[in-house]
Amino acid sequence: DSKVYKWDDASSTFLEMQSFPTKGAYDWAAFSIDGIQHLAVANWFDDTSHNIDSKIYRWNDASSTFLEMQTIPTKGAVGLTAFSMNGIPHLAVANHFDGGSYNIESKVYQWHHVAHTFLEIQSIPTVGAFDFTAFSMDGTQHLAVANLFDGSSHNVDSKVYKWDDHKFLEIQSIPTKGARNWAAFSMNGIEHLAVANHLENP
């Protein structure tokens, strides 16, 4: 199980608040929709398959707990990135491995206010994807994906995508070595990207 802890002023410590049944969990994303706290967990492997559901939870005041509100089919999910675009919540899921291949598709989901659920809006071809980083440049949403491994080599390109009205389009391919994470930051008004290269070939 994975856990959520809440700060307790009386003891000046974080106390366990809730336990969640997870399956080889790799990552959490925390975000708010309509002022209500949500959590999403990336499930990696259930001891049998990597093709398992990841989960989204919504805070419920009545029960004072997070309740499961949606399952998302994932393939060895290791990264979740929540971001807002045009005032609408989105969730990018880095699918790493489906049990047979690292060359699989990762997904971008958009919140649908009427259906009260996340709906898939795009599949992005990835190579052992480990993480998405979301950032805005010149008022336009971008995503950078860290590609870790293609099944034989860690020397694979990672990608940068730019939103183009209805989907993310690749704008740059960057040579990386077992990339696990990107960090986007602005310095002197200019956007920067830092990549964490984890491992060279093999």
Side-chain angles (χ1 to χ4, degrees), residues 2-179:
S2 295
K3 312 282 187 178
V4 169
Y5 295 83
K6 180 180 180 180
W7 179 256
D8 179 69
D9 282 330
S11 63
S12 294
T13 59
F14 283 96
L15 300 179
E16 183 180 325
M17 184 184 81
Q18 188 172 347
S19 181
F20 299 79
T22 51
K23 300 175 180 178
Y26 249 87
D27 192 29
W28 284 100
F31 53 96
S32 179
I33 299 177
D34 298 329
I36 300 173
Q37 188 64 51
H38 289 65
L39 292 174
V41 64
N43 286 320
W44 154 256
F45 185 59
D46 68 358
D47 293 329
T48 302
S49 175
H50 291 89
N51 301 316
I52 57 176
D53 290 342
S54 292
K55 309 280 188 176
I56 301 173
Y57 300 89
R58 178 183 178 94
W59 179 255
N60 181 273
D61 280 330
S63 63
S64 294
T65 59
F66 286 97
L67 300 179
E68 181 182 319
M69 59 159 277
Q70 185 176 352
T71 61
I72 293 177
T74 50
K75 299 179 178 181
V78 295
L80 295 171
T81 301
F83 63 98
S84 179
M85 182 170 62
N86 300 323
I88 301 171
H90 289 70
L91 192 64
V93 180
N95 286 319
H96 181 71
F97 182 60
D98 68 2
S101 177
Y102 294 90
N103 297 284
I104 56 177
E105 292 182 332
S106 293
K107 308 287 186 177
V108 179
Y109 297 86
Q110 182 184 76
W111 177 251
H112 193 286
H113 282 282
V114 176
H116 292 284
T117 189
F118 280 95
L119 301 178
E120 182 185 327
I121 62 166
Q122 188 172 353
S123 292
I124 296 177
T126 51
V127 185
F130 214 84
D131 184 52
F132 276 101
T133 295
F135 61 99
S136 181
M137 187 164 62
D138 298 327
T140 302
Q141 188 66 50
H142 291 65
L143 289 175
V145 64
N147 285 323
L148 178 76
F149 186 57
D150 66 4
S152 60
S153 175
H154 288 90
N155 297 328
V156 295
D157 288 352
S158 292
K159 310 283 186 174
V160 181
Y161 300 87
K162 179 181 178 179
W163 181 253
D164 182 30
D165 292 331
H166 64 285
K167 67 178 181 179
F168 286 99
L169 298 179
E170 182 184 326
I171 63 167
Q172 189 173 355
S173 182
I174 299 175
T176 50
K177 299 178 179 181

Side-chain angles (χ1 to χ4, degrees), residues 135-137 183-194:
F135 61 99
S136 181
M137 187 164 62
F185 62 99
S186 180
M187 184 170 61
N188 300 323
I190 301 172
E191 296 301 321
H192 293 67
L193 283 173

